[in-house]
Amino acid sequence: MNNDLSAEADRADLLFLKSAMTLEGAFWTLEQVLHWVNEQNKKVTVNVNNRSIKALSGWGFDTSSGRLCHETGKFFSIDGIKVTTNWNGPKEWRQPIINQPEVGFLGIITKEFKGVLHFLLQAKIEPGNIPYVQLSPTLQATRSNYTQVHKGREPLYLDYFRKAQPAQILLDQLQSEQGARFFRKRNRNIILKLEEDIEERDQFLWLTLGQIKTLMQYDGLINMDTRTVISCISFGNHQPGIIDLIDFLAHDHKLYPSKRAILESALTVNTGKHSTAEIITFLTKLKSMYDLEVERVPLSSLPDWIIDEDAIRHRDNQYFKVIGVDVEIGNREVMKWSQPMIEPAQEGLCAFILKNINGLLHFAVQAKLECGNLDIVEFAPTVQCLTGNYRRTATGALPFLDYVLSAGPDQILFDTLQSEEGGRFYREQNRNLLVLAGDEIPEELPPRYIWMTLNQLQNFLKFNNYLNIQARSLIAALSFV
Amino acid sequence: MNNDLSAEADRADLLFLKSAMTLEGAFWTLEQVLHWVNEQNKKVTVNVNNRSIKALSGWGFDTSSGRLCHETGKFFSIDGIKVTTNWNGPKEWRQPIINQPEVGFLGIITKEFKGVLHFLLQAKIEPGNIPYVQLSPTLQATRSNYTQVHKGREPLYLDYFRKAQPAQILLDQLQSEQGARFFRKRNRNIILKLEEDIEERDQFLWLTLGQIKTLMQYDGLINMDTRTVISCISFGNHQPGIIDLIDFLAHDHKLYPSKRAILESALTVNTGKHSTAEIITFLTKLKSMYDLEVERVPLSSLPDWIIDEDAIRHRDNQYFKVIGVDVEIGNREVMKWSQPMIEPAQEGLCAFILKNINGLLHFAVQAKLECGNLDIVEFAPTVQCLTGNYRRTATGALPFLDYVLSAGPDQILFDTLQSEEGGRFYREQNRNLLVLAGDEIPEELPPRYIWMTLNQLQNFLKFNNYLNIQARSLIAALSFV
């Protein structure tokens, strides 16, 4: 690479880029990883049994606060909320929501092997996962975890994150979680790069970023937490016409035109259909016009929700249920606990439409209000819905839904089922879809939608509470090889 | 200017930069402006009379919500809040706060005259201003204003903002207001550039950005709303070594070394002591470690606050009082109304320490938690306090306070008294101070402080809720000529 190019990119960007372009890891081939995860899934014993929400060990309905919480007051609680907004659709409703105010770590340790950055992932079991074992970050710890409310062992590798030096931190961002299910929940998404030798434990393995992104093409293999952490990775800002850099990167690879287009959209700065200032204007306008007020109310005061022996459920069985489960997990050593979980009423769909505009790939981004958002709206995929709501929204058909559902095979860049976080969500999966559009999708978008390049999305993503987790999950899936 | 330079900057950046370098406006000299504002102040008749908070026309204590509000439910209310945090200092307290959830416009119309961008400011009277008449944005309108709750005339120039086309918008950002006084209040800071002829009304005048920044050196002349809008202006991102551009800009001016240093810090990208990723890490850590929970409670349930005939006051007369006033303003036509206002217990101090690090001017920025913040902490000046709290904070002496108070004349870049927003705050002024430090201020800062260049500050400022209004007021004052 010539010096001009490397001067424009910082070292972390280039490390990430090289790792993203590498499919042959130092230790594992893709086939070996798939085989190994399958083996883990066969070996593990998991029992998840429904238990009355009213008879859940350690959990109870607190009459003074009106919520469902743990006897220690830790972990999380299920609260009732009253939502008031002037956004399209219903102006006022009440619903249960998960309240977990403490920020946890979602952390990945990386290290260079043979000059390529490798990511230390863990085969982790969660009761809500499909399948149970998925590849998770090196560390996935709530504050309760690492302050030892569980009274269990300290999470592995925690000390690396607790004691991280600035020079070891490649990125460290606060990112939001599902705004329709969590009340303003955020996690700390952090990637460390270590120089020293690291003890490799059972159930952990080193993979390149290219391998992780490729493995996302398989249903339910890379868990939600891994997806959100790797979505935070950006690859640098280059002036238009970065052909040299791309040719350099493509040297050892056959780069398909669609992959090359994604790479160019990721790397090229200052060339979107809209400038950054215009995108900020777009958001400012929406955040100025629309209010979102959320007030805590007792769970017993939600007129559309019924608390029976089994669950907290919507009277028309819509949206989701809060169920109780007893969990038993283990091979040699068995762990047992009980907890409430969220069980969705249907599968969901998250889809981005991509289109070439002025020679650069753009994403049709939706500004979406969800009741748990910290700041009214976040950038979301072009289409984001529960399948039961496919055909109708409060104001009519959902924009672009028919289009993405009827996209031809040659338009599909990505189509998989991804599990949501299996520690809170019970067997919840969303179809993740990337659709390449032609002239049938015009450059003019409806209000509340805007075209952005991948470079622009990654730039907003760095500042907290700009991209929702569904958008980030799709961005994580974008592969350059 | 050569083509390479202009390719890097976008048109708005260059327009702003040129206007900032211009002291001779097309219509007014600085002396004329000063004279004219003085004349306005002499001509105006303002009567502001104290009135019992319990007998304020149109206002009352609502027993069901427990707050002080207008009979229409509009404008704003004074609420009680209970604050819980694990930040340094008190862990729990209750206080009154202004609740004004509706986002208003702070808008300036600009237009090119003789090739230089001019800003249309208004000589505006506010009951809390010192002096009463100050230069405000073209438009200063709450949502109540422009939806006509006042039943008054529609604000002048409002339609330009309502109907603004994307090509007319130079910037449009949501920015926070005083986090210790307002509950999550934000305004829409917007600058339009118009091509057509604009009717010039009485009390309005066209000034260059350089003129406005220079007029900030006078006490109480540029109001808080003008200051926040012009603080949003950035001047482009240039690679290090932008000597050509600066020489070009300095061509017609004698550029003092300190002004040149500010200009370089504003324009140079990617050269701070800390990278943007490191600054984001700094914030992520704080937002992850510290909680801020705010709950609304009735005003009658604040143990340290007394509601008597005159005011809602702290029992030790600290912090501020909520008073009632009857206002009469006018020359020919008299406007009368009554409202609650916030009267501070003391004058405040807001100071940035600046220091040359690696050849570039850096600002010592404090991450500060205030109870009305939307997102826990915002970037604040190095020192921000009420004078009554000068000597002590809950945990001892306030960092850097002694240093800025004892700075020598050769270190002072800026030192004025600025009024806070005179529509809500009664005769509240803060001393605004910029202090240039030498080796006596080390590069190592205490926790919760970080060095940033002006370019970095301006970049964070674009994304909402990153810089508090005190920091922005000081940034607005930074002049290049």
Side-chain angles (χ1 to χ4, degrees):
Chain A
M1 192 176 320
N2 74 52
N3 285 330
D4 288 333
L5 292 172
S6 50
E8 276 189 52
D10 91 5
R11 180 159 155 69
D13 293 337
L14 288 177
L15 277 171
F16 284 133
L17 199 46
K18 196 168 174 193
S19 184
M21 305 298 290
T22 305
L23 282 182
E24 283 294 310
F27 305 104
W28 300 74
T29 64
L30 287 171
E31 292 69 24
Q32 287 171 327
V33 177
L34 289 167
H35 177 74
W36 183 79
V37 177
N38 268 336
E39 289 299 305
Q40 304 303 314
N41 264 308
K42 279 183 207 152
K43 272 197 289 190
V44 78
T45 313
V46 182
N47 287 307
V48 181
N49 294 307
N50 281 76
R51 161 76 61 175
S52 164
I53 192 82
K54 291 182 175 169
L56 210 50
S57 169
W59 293 81
F61 288 89
D62 181 63
T63 44
S64 75
S65 64
R67 55 194 185 184
L68 173 62
C69 54
H70 193 254
E71 58 193 12
T72 60
K74 293 285 174 178
F75 306 114
F76 62 94
S77 62
I78 306 292
D79 293 10
I81 55 170
K82 177 186 159 195
V83 184
T84 317
T85 180
N86 58 349
W87 192 254
N88 272 24
K91 302 304 175 205
E92 194 184 306
W93 72 91
R94 295 182 178 214
Q95 68 164 77
I97 200 161
I98 311 172
N99 182 15
Q100 186 172 349
E102 295 182 349
V103 174
F105 272 120
L106 303 178
I108 299 181
I109 289 176
T110 69
K111 188 172 157 63
E112 274 181 286
F113 296 102
K114 299 182 182 170
V116 177
L117 204 63
H118 283 65
F119 293 65
L120 186 60
L121 296 193
Q122 175 187 12
K124 194 168 194 295
I125 306 160
E126 292 285 3
N129 280 355
I130 309 174
Y132 287 125
V133 177
Q134 299 186 1
L135 293 177
S136 79
T138 318
L139 178 72
Q140 199 172 309
T142 61
R143 213 191 278 176
S144 301
N145 268 149
Y146 61 81
T147 54
Q148 300 294 293
V149 181
H150 284 290
K151 293 179 190 138
R153 286 167 309 191
E154 189 171 282
L156 292 171
Y157 302 108
L158 173 61
D159 258 8
Y160 287 106
F161 292 91
R162 262 202 209 124
K163 299 173 182 165
Q165 297 303 306
Q168 296 176 320
I169 299 173
L170 295 182
L171 70 83
D172 185 2
Q173 301 169 5
L174 211 52
Q175 297 292 357
S176 61
E177 310 236 329
Q178 288 84 345
R181 305 290 176 81
F182 279 114
F183 183 65
R184 297 183 190 162
K185 169 106 187 77
R186 299 191 290 194
N187 270 317
R188 188 170 168 187
N189 290 238
I190 178 167
I191 298 181
L192 302 185
K193 178 174 180 292
L194 301 181
E195 303 298 329
E196 65 255 52
D197 285 336
I198 296 151
E199 195 182 351
E200 239 184 278
R201 306 294 196 119
D202 272 4
Q203 319 296 327
F204 285 82
L205 79 176
W206 293 103
L207 299 175
T208 68
L209 185 53
Q211 289 184 311
I212 298 170
K213 283 174 170 284
T214 303
L215 291 168
M216 277 193 66
Q217 291 165 17
Y218 296 85
D219 291 354
L221 184 55
I222 304 296
N223 87 348
M224 194 200 80
D225 301 292
T226 304
R227 300 195 315 267
T228 163
V229 177
I230 71 166
S231 77
C232 300
I233 295 172
S234 59
F235 302 95
N237 297 309
H238 300 263
Q239 295 302 318
I242 43 164
I243 307 302
D244 283 357
L245 174 61
I246 290 179
D247 284 345
F248 171 83
L249 292 165
H251 185 259
D252 297 327
H253 310 278
K254 187 178 163 190
L255 210 56
Y256 288 95
S258 66
K259 305 284 184 181
R260 190 186 184 105
I262 292 169
L263 191 55
E264 256 191 273
S265 185
L267 296 179
T268 314
V269 78
N270 293 336
T271 45
K273 175 176 167 67
H274 302 289
S275 69
T276 298
E278 283 167 1
I279 299 166
I280 289 173
T281 292
F282 169 83
L283 272 182
T284 299
K285 222 166 170 173
L286 292 172
K287 290 182 180 180
S288 300
M289 285 167 59
Y290 294 105
D291 304 318
L292 170 64
E293 202 178 338
V294 179
E295 218 178 299
R296 250 174 255 177
V297 295
L299 279 173
S300 57
S301 79
L302 314 180
D304 295 332
W305 294 77
I306 297 154
I307 308 178
D308 60 22
E309 287 304 315
D310 285 347
I312 307 172
R313 69 174 82 242
H314 190 262
R315 59 176 181 180
D316 302 325
N317 289 312
Q318 283 191 293
Y319 312 115
F320 60 84
K321 292 192 291 190
V322 184
I323 59 169
V325 292
D326 292 338
V327 183
E328 260 189 55
I329 282 180
N331 298 324
R332 286 154 298 182
E333 200 176 337
V334 177
M335 286 170 58
K336 289 186 188 188
W337 73 89
S338 301
Q339 68 169 89
M341 294 192 85
I342 303 292
E343 183 181 358
Q346 310 101 350
E347 237 171 61
L349 173 69
C350 302
F352 263 126
I353 293 177
L354 288 73
K355 181 183 162 77
N356 196 314
I357 300 175
N358 306 332
L360 210 61
L361 215 52
H362 281 66
F363 292 66
V365 180
Q366 177 188 184
K368 192 169 171 61
L369 179 140
E370 294 185 298
C371 61
N373 284 358
L374 174 71
D375 197 6
I376 309 174
V377 293
E378 294 186 4
F379 288 132
T382 323
V383 177
Q384 178 190 324
C385 62
L386 290 174
T387 52
N389 299 343
Y390 262 11
R391 293 295 147 196
R392 298 193 54 74
T393 65
T395 51
L398 199 59
F400 303 111
L401 176 62
D402 286 338
Y403 180 78
V404 300
L405 289 177
S406 60
D410 54 322
Q411 293 184 269
I412 306 288
L413 296 180
F414 184 78
D415 186 2
T416 64
L417 279 178
Q418 302 290 355
S419 282
E420 296 307 306
E421 212 280 296
R424 297 287 172 273
F425 301 111
Y426 183 68
R427 307 183 77 73
E428 171 150 21
Q429 295 185 103
N430 283 304
R431 185 174 169 199
N432 276 227
L433 203 55
L434 292 168
V435 178
L436 192 60
D439 290 341
E440 68 283 1
I441 294 289
E443 275 198 36
E444 197 64 38
L445 292 175
R448 304 182 195 180
Y449 294 78
I450 192 166
W451 291 110
M452 294 170 72
T453 67
L454 184 51
N455 186 277
Q456 290 175 325
L457 280 165
Q458 298 276 184
N459 192 34
F460 275 92
L461 204 158
K462 288 177 190 170
F463 299 89
N464 54 262
N465 296 86
Y466 275 92
L467 265 77
N468 78 0
I469 195 162
Q470 289 84 356
R472 298 200 316 274
S473 177
L474 282 164
I475 284 176
L478 291 164
S479 166
F480 309 139
V481 283
Chain B
M1 190 176 322
N2 73 52
N3 285 330
D4 288 331
L5 292 172
S6 50
E8 279 188 51
D10 91 4
R11 179 159 157 70
D13 294 336
L14 288 177
L15 277 171
F16 284 133
L17 199 46
K18 196 168 175 192
S19 184
M21 306 297 290
T22 305
L23 283 182
E24 282 296 309
F27 306 103
W28 301 74
T29 64
L30 286 171
E31 292 69 24
Q32 288 170 327
V33 177
L34 288 167
H35 177 75
W36 183 78
V37 177
N38 269 337
E39 290 300 305
Q40 303 304 313
N41 263 309
K42 279 182 206 151
K43 272 197 288 190
V44 77
T45 312
V46 182
N47 286 307
V48 181
N49 294 309
N50 281 75
R51 162 75 61 175
S52 165
I53 191 82
K54 292 181 176 170
L56 211 49
S57 169
W59 294 80
F61 288 89
D62 181 63
T63 44
S64 74
S65 64
R67 54 194 187 184
L68 173 62
C69 53
H70 193 255
E71 59 193 11
T72 60
K74 293 285 174 179
F75 307 114
F76 62 94
S77 61
I78 306 290
D79 293 10
I81 56 169
K82 178 186 159 196
V83 184
T84 317
T85 180
N86 57 349
W87 192 254
N88 272 24
K91 302 304 175 204
E92 194 184 305
W93 73 90
R94 295 181 179 214
Q95 67 165 79
I97 199 160
I98 311 171
N99 183 15
Q100 187 171 347
E102 293 181 350
V103 174
F105 272 119
L106 302 178
I108 299 181
I109 288 176
T110 69
K111 187 172 156 63
E112 274 180 289
F113 297 102
K114 300 182 181 170
V116 177
L117 204 62
H118 283 63
F119 293 65
L120 186 61
L121 297 193
Q122 176 188 10
K124 194 167 196 293
I125 307 160
E126 292 286 2
N129 280 355
I130 309 174
Y132 288 125
V133 177
Q134 299 186 359
L135 294 177
S136 79
T138 319
L139 177 73
Q140 199 173 308
T142 61
R143 214 190 278 176
S144 301
N145 267 148
Y146 61 81
T147 54
Q148 299 295 295
V149 181
H150 285 290
K151 292 177 192 142
R153 285 168 310 193
E154 188 170 283
L156 292 172
Y157 302 109
L158 174 61
D159 257 8
Y160 287 105
F161 292 91
R162 262 205 209 120
K163 299 173 182 165
Q165 296 302 307
Q168 297 176 319
I169 299 173
L170 294 183
L171 70 83
D172 185 3
Q173 302 169 5
L174 210 54
Q175 297 293 356
S176 60
E177 309 236 328
Q178 288 83 347
R181 305 290 175 80
F182 279 114
F183 183 65
R184 298 183 190 161
K185 168 106 185 80
R186 299 192 291 196
N187 269 318
R188 187 170 169 187
N189 289 239
I190 178 167
I191 299 181
L192 302 185
K193 178 175 180 291
L194 301 182
E195 303 298 329
E196 65 255 51
D197 284 338
I198 297 151
E199 194 183 352
E200 240 185 276
R201 306 294 198 120
D202 270 3
Q203 318 298 326
F204 285 81
L205 78 178
W206 293 104
L207 298 175
T208 68
L209 185 54
Q211 288 183 312
I212 298 171
K213 283 174 170 283
T214 303
L215 292 168
M216 276 194 66
Q217 290 165 17
Y218 296 86
D219 291 354
L221 185 55
I222 304 296
N223 87 348
M224 193 199 80
D225 301 293
T226 304
R227 298 191 322 263
T228 165
V229 176
I230 70 164
S231 76
C232 301
I233 295 173
S234 60
F235 302 95
N237 298 309
H238 299 264
Q239 294 303 318
I242 43 162
I243 307 302
D244 283 358
L245 174 60
I246 291 179
D247 285 346
F248 170 84
L249 292 166
H251 186 260
D252 297 327
H253 311 279
K254 187 179 165 189
L255 210 54
Y256 288 95
S258 65
K259 304 285 184 182
R260 190 186 183 104
I262 292 168
L263 192 53
E264 255 192 272
S265 186
L267 297 179
T268 315
V269 78
N270 292 337
T271 45
K273 175 177 166 69
H274 300 288
S275 67
T276 299
E278 283 167 1
I279 299 166
I280 290 173
T281 292
F282 169 84
L283 273 183
T284 299
K285 223 166 168 172
L286 292 172
K287 290 182 180 179
S288 300
M289 284 168 60
Y290 294 104
D291 304 318
L292 171 64
E293 202 177 338
V294 178
E295 220 178 299
R296 252 175 254 177
V297 295
L299 280 173
S300 57
S301 79
L302 314 180
D304 295 333
W305 294 78
I306 298 155
I307 307 177
D308 60 21
E309 286 304 313
D310 285 346
I312 307 172
R313 70 173 81 241
H314 190 261
R315 59 175 180 181
D316 302 326
N317 288 312
Q318 285 192 292
Y319 310 114
F320 59 85
K321 293 192 289 191
V322 184
I323 61 169
V325 291
D326 292 338
V327 184
E328 260 189 54
I329 282 180
N331 298 322
R332 286 155 298 184
E333 200 176 339
V334 177
M335 286 170 58
K336 289 185 187 189
W337 72 90
S338 301
Q339 68 168 88
M341 293 192 86
I342 303 291
E343 183 181 358
Q346 309 100 353
E347 234 171 64
L349 173 69
C350 303
F352 263 127
I353 294 178
L354 288 72
K355 181 184 162 77
N356 195 314
I357 299 176
N358 307 331
L360 211 59
L361 215 51
H362 282 67
F363 292 66
V365 180
Q366 176 187 184
K368 193 168 170 65
L369 179 140
E370 295 186 297
C371 62
N373 284 357
L374 175 71
D375 197 5
I376 309 175
V377 294
E378 292 186 5
F379 289 131
T382 323
V383 177
Q384 179 191 322
C385 61
L386 290 175
T387 53
N389 300 344
Y390 261 12
R391 293 296 149 195
R392 299 192 54 73
T393 65
T395 51
L398 199 59
F400 305 110
L401 175 62
D402 286 338
Y403 181 79
V404 300
L405 289 177
S406 60
D410 53 323
Q411 291 185 269
I412 307 288
L413 297 180
F414 184 79
D415 185 3
T416 64
L417 279 178
Q418 302 290 354
S419 282
E420 297 307 306
E421 211 281 296
R424 297 287 171 271
F425 301 111
Y426 182 70
R427 305 182 78 72
E428 171 150 23
Q429 294 185 103
N430 284 304
R431 187 174 169 198
N432 276 226
L433 203 55
L434 293 167
V435 179
L436 192 59
D439 290 340
E440 67 285 0
I441 294 290
E443 274 197 37
E444 195 65 36
L445 291 175
R448 305 181 194 181
Y449 294 78
I450 191 165
W451 291 111
M452 293 170 71
T453 66
L454 184 50
N455 185 277
Q456 290 175 326
L457 280 165
Q458 298 275 185
N459 192 33
F460 275 91
L461 204 157
K462 289 177 190 171
F463 299 89
N464 55 261
N465 295 87
Y466 276 92
L467 264 76
N468 79 358
I469 194 162
Q470 289 85 356
R472 299 199 317 273
S473 177
L474 283 164
I475 285 175
L478 290 165
S479 166
F480 310 137
V481 283

